[in-house]
Every structure is written in structure tokens, then in C-alpha cells.
Amino acid sequence: MTTLPHVPTENIDQGPADIPMVLSSPTVPLVQAHLAEMKAMYDLQTTSSPLEMYAHLLAMEADYCDNIHMENYAHTVHKLHPVQYAQSNARHLPARRSLKAILTVCPYSGCPVSVEDSYQLHIQGKTVVCQVCTNPITMDMYKMNALLDAAKTMMPELAVPTLPHDGQFESFLDELHSCMGDVAPAVQDKVNELVAREIGAFEFDLVQAMLRQLDFVHKMCRHYDYWYTPSVVQAAIARYHQFMHLIRISRDTLTMLVPTPDIDLVWHTHQCHPRGYFEFCRS
């Protein structure tokens, strides 16, 4: 039998008087709405195979790339990384290339790659063989391809290397830097920046992040009715403010504070409203 973390709902201690309990605060309806979105993902996950779920996540990330204002699960998970979300250059670009568009095409020849092969590459970290050109494909090959495209754009006069058939990223980088020679430091910096970042439109792998977030979704939505109860949500909001107060007063220490599931739920809800969340954090 699973024991739920107890969230006291009687005589809630509001904490010290100087805790800003109201400013930009999540409300019970907002938390319930966020929980309802989680429940929709939970229902989808429990009726899908891992491969089918991966295809759904790829499609959600692609939809978000097409319409940056779309309120779907991909957008939600992006907002759950508030620093990256606030600093995201991709959100201001006229167009974004989704992971689905990248990973369903062979980096060598542009041959189609099945979603099943993409899943093995992307999630399981395997090497697959292109069914058309028979070249071995790894995730590193896609990063190398992105680097080549960027190098051709920045340095059209240079003869850049081709994709290595052995798939060795380090030797490819050595050859690329050798071809670049004494290019401007700004170009070198840009290449180094591209080496460090994930492939795709965003600052991190949004599909992988959505997959990780499903662990929390599953944990909470197994007991959806309990967490949806208004008194439980109200108590969780109070505990969230107390927790954030503890973070404020311990920020200069080495203390590691870990939120309980109910606090995490409210925290995620707050992050899904970036303007209010940043106002709250600056207060």
C-alpha cells in the first residue's frame, strides 16, 4: 500500500510575517489547472508504448517549434527551466528546426530515418544503420552535421571536413579546427559554443526533458484526486511560500533544500507563469 505524504490542512502556519504570501502567488485554480495538464499527459503515457510516447513527445516539440506561443507540454517543460527559458534565443527566431525534423533524416544523405531508429539513437543511445545508405548513425553525427552547417555559413570560403564514417567526434573536431586555421576569434568562439550545446532549437534537449518530467507526472497523478483537493492545494501553497522563504535566508550557506512533492507541484505551477514567477523571485 502506498502512503501519501501528509499535507496538513488544519491550522496552517503562515510562517514569519515578512514572507510575501500574496505577491505573484500561485492560486488553487492555477495549481489545479497545472495538475489537470499533468493528468492528460499521465493518461497518454499509461495508454502508450515507450515508442509511441516518444513519437508523441517529438510531435509536441515540433508543434512548439512551429508556434512558440502554443501552450502544450513542450512549452510547459521549457518554462520549468526558468533561466534557460528567460534567456532563450530560439523563442525570438523567425523559425526553429525541431528535433523531429533533425532526427528523422540521415545526417549523411538525407535519407528518411524511422521513429523507431530515432528512439534507439536518441533515448537508448544506440548506433543504428541507415536503411538506405547503410552508414552507421549516432547522436554525435547530428551534432557534427550541425557544426558543418554552421561552419559553411560562417566560413563559406573554407573547405570544411566531411562527416567521418567512423563517427569519432574528437577527430572530427580536430580536423574542423585544422581547416579553420587562424579565423577570427569570434568565429572560433561560436564554433566552441555550438560544440557545447545540444542539437535542436533550444538550449537543452526538450524531448529528453519532457521524458524526465514524466517521472514526476506519474508520481503525482497516480493520486490525482488527492492532490486536486482544494484544501490540500491551499496547504501546499502555504508550504511552498515557507520553503521559498527558507531558500532566501539560506542562499549564502551550503544548505541543500529539497522540496516535498506538494511543494514541487506548486513550484512548477509558479514557473509556468514566468512573469509572475520572476517578480516573486526578485521581491
Side-chain angles (χ1 to χ4, degrees):
M1 178 177 177
T2 301
T3 302
L4 288 170
H6 177 59
V7 180
T9 58
E10 304 86 12
N11 303 318
I12 298 171
D13 179 10
Q14 299 298 320
D18 61 343
I19 301 179
M21 297 295 289
V22 179
L23 178 64
S24 305
S25 175
T27 62
V28 170
L30 284 179
V31 176
Q32 289 176 320
H34 181 62
L35 192 58
E37 181 189 11
M38 291 169 58
K39 181 63 162 57
M41 290 304 301
Y42 174 77
D43 291 342
L44 183 63
Q45 184 184 26
T46 54
T47 56
S48 302
S49 68
L51 179 59
E52 289 170 337
M53 195 65 206
Y54 174 69
H56 288 311
L57 298 181
L58 277 181
M60 290 173 192
E61 193 257 2
D63 288 342
Y64 179 45
C65 284
D66 289 342
N67 178 7
I68 208 68
H69 302 293
M70 172 174 284
E71 292 297 340
N72 67 357
Y73 181 61
H75 193 172
T76 293
V77 172
H78 196 190
K79 287 187 283 192
L80 295 183
H81 298 75
V83 174
Q84 293 94 327
Y85 185 81
Q87 298 174 350
S88 177
N89 292 324
R91 290 185 51 79
H92 305 291
L93 296 175
R96 289 150 295 276
R97 193 169 182 222
S98 69
L99 284 170
K100 181 178 180 179
I102 294 169
L103 297 177
T104 55
V105 175
C106 174
Y108 286 100
S109 56
C111 315
V113 173
S114 68
V115 172
E116 183 176 2
D117 281 348
S118 297
Y119 177 76
Q120 292 183 52
L121 280 165
H122 191 192
I123 305 303
Q124 298 180 330
K126 295 181 178 180
T127 299
V128 301
V129 175
C130 177
Q131 299 301 309
V132 179
C133 67
T134 70
N135 281 305
I137 310 172
T138 65
M139 285 298 291
D140 275 348
M141 303 304 296
Y142 288 101
K143 178 173 279 194
M144 288 185 248
N145 211 29
L147 280 169
L148 284 177
D149 288 343
K152 290 172 185 175
T153 300
M154 293 184 293
M155 303 168 291
E157 72 284 358
L158 294 182
V160 295
T162 58
L163 285 176
H165 288 280
D166 62 4
Q168 294 300 311
F169 193 62
E170 291 75 13
S171 58
F172 167 78
L173 277 182
D174 289 342
E175 189 175 353
L176 178 61
H177 282 114
S178 176
C179 290
M180 290 169 60
D182 297 325
V183 298
V187 175
Q188 289 276 10
D189 290 344
K190 181 62 177 177
V191 169
N192 292 335
E193 177 188 328
L194 290 169
V195 170
R197 67 165 291 168
E198 298 285 347
I199 63 169
F202 302 102
E203 300 72 26
F204 56 93
D205 187 323
L206 194 50
V207 171
Q208 291 273 15
M210 286 191 281
L211 201 56
R212 289 192 299 271
Q213 186 62 20
L214 285 176
D215 290 340
F216 182 71
V217 167
H218 186 77
K219 177 169 65 176
M220 300 301 288
C221 290
R222 288 169 59 207
H223 309 287
Y224 176 80
D225 290 342
Y226 174 78
W227 293 117
Y228 197 85
T229 305
S231 58
V232 172
V233 175
Q234 188 62 59
I237 292 171
R239 282 160 52 80
Y240 166 69
H241 282 284
Q242 293 164 3
F243 179 79
M244 296 302 279
H245 177 69
L246 289 176
I247 288 180
R248 286 191 183 95
I249 64 177
S250 62
R251 65 177 57 177
D252 295 327
T253 72
L254 297 178
T255 304
M256 175 67 72
L257 300 175
V258 180
T260 54
D262 61 311
I263 293 172
D264 231 357
L265 174 63
V266 179
W267 200 349
H268 291 175
T269 302
H270 209 176
Q271 289 173 333
C272 286
H273 298 81
R275 183 171 298 177
Y277 181 69
F278 284 121
E279 288 176 359
F280 174 82
C281 290
R282 286 196 297 262
S283 65

